[in-house]
Amino acid sequence: MNDLRYNFTRLFDGRTGLDTLSKTTAKIGLILFLLTMLTHSNIVYVLALIFAAYTAWRVLSRNYQKRYSENQKFLSMTSGIRRRYNTFAFDVRNCITKARQRKSYVVFKCPNCKQKHRAPRGRGKIQVKCRNCRTLFIKKV
Ligand SMILES: [Zn+2]
């Protein structure tokens, strides 16, 4: 087992490994393989194989300098898209979290300063002390 791990580590010695470009081509390849299963299209299948082979070739490549500059080029070419995607992914996560909170929490405003508060749903009448203006008020949750 240790031998196997050793050999596995050795395999990647001095190789490029998974950089962002390889991760992206790997994901595209995977999506294309899934599409192949859905569409049974030969063209999609060949494209999937090309992406898979290209990814494997880049990961195992010993010309680290060249792969590195390819990756840098890819990063600068796609920085706009990746930033937009990250913002989008963040918004989606934010939305899901908020929806989940709405389910188990009640959000209400302080009657005095409009500071937002939240409390677990189903507690009945609770006394709330506003953390902003220190007003005490009763809220049914
Ligand atoms: Zn307040």
Side-chain angles (χ1 to χ4, degrees), residues 9-141:
T9 324
R10 277 294 299 273
L11 181 68
F12 290 97
D13 259 5
R15 314 245 190 192
T16 306
L18 263 183
D19 54 18
T20 311
L21 176 53
S22 294
K23 278 181 193 164
T24 308
T25 54
K27 276 180 204 162
I28 294 171
L30 204 68
I31 292 167
L32 288 171
F33 271 120
L34 290 174
L35 277 178
T36 308
M37 284 190 257
L38 290 172
T39 61
H40 302 285
S41 156
N42 284 331
I43 300 158
V44 180
Y45 183 60
V46 169
L47 277 174
L49 285 179
I50 290 169
F51 270 97
Y54 179 67
T55 306
W57 172 75
R58 281 202 80 246
V59 168
L60 297 175
S61 169
R62 288 193 187 277
N63 196 343
Y64 179 78
Q65 281 299 322
K66 197 132 186 251
R67 300 292 86 75
Y68 177 80
S69 66
E70 281 167 8
N71 192 46
Q72 289 304 311
K73 214 178 190 178
F74 171 76
L75 287 176
S76 70
M77 266 165 56
T78 55
S79 70
I81 298 168
R82 280 180 301 112
R83 200 179 312 122
R84 237 169 293 156
Y85 172 76
N86 284 337
T87 315
F88 172 73
F90 180 79
D91 285 347
V92 169
R93 270 199 301 271
N94 220 358
C95 219
I96 292 169
T97 314
K98 271 190 184 156
R100 236 182 241 154
Q101 284 190 351
R102 224 168 291 142
K103 236 185 192 172
S104 46
Y105 287 93
V106 182
V107 177
F108 51 92
K109 282 176 185 165
C110 165
N112 186 40
C113 72
K114 308 296 175 212
Q115 163 77 43
K116 270 189 179 176
H117 294 267
R118 42 161 238 190
R121 217 174 258 286
R123 283 260 176 100
K125 271 188 184 174
I126 55 166
Q127 192 183 47
V128 182
K129 189 179 187 184
C130 175
R131 73 178 104 88
N132 188 37
C133 68
R134 311 253 162 231
T135 302
L136 278 169
F137 59 98
I138 304 287
K139 178 76 195 168
K140 215 178 142 198
V141 291

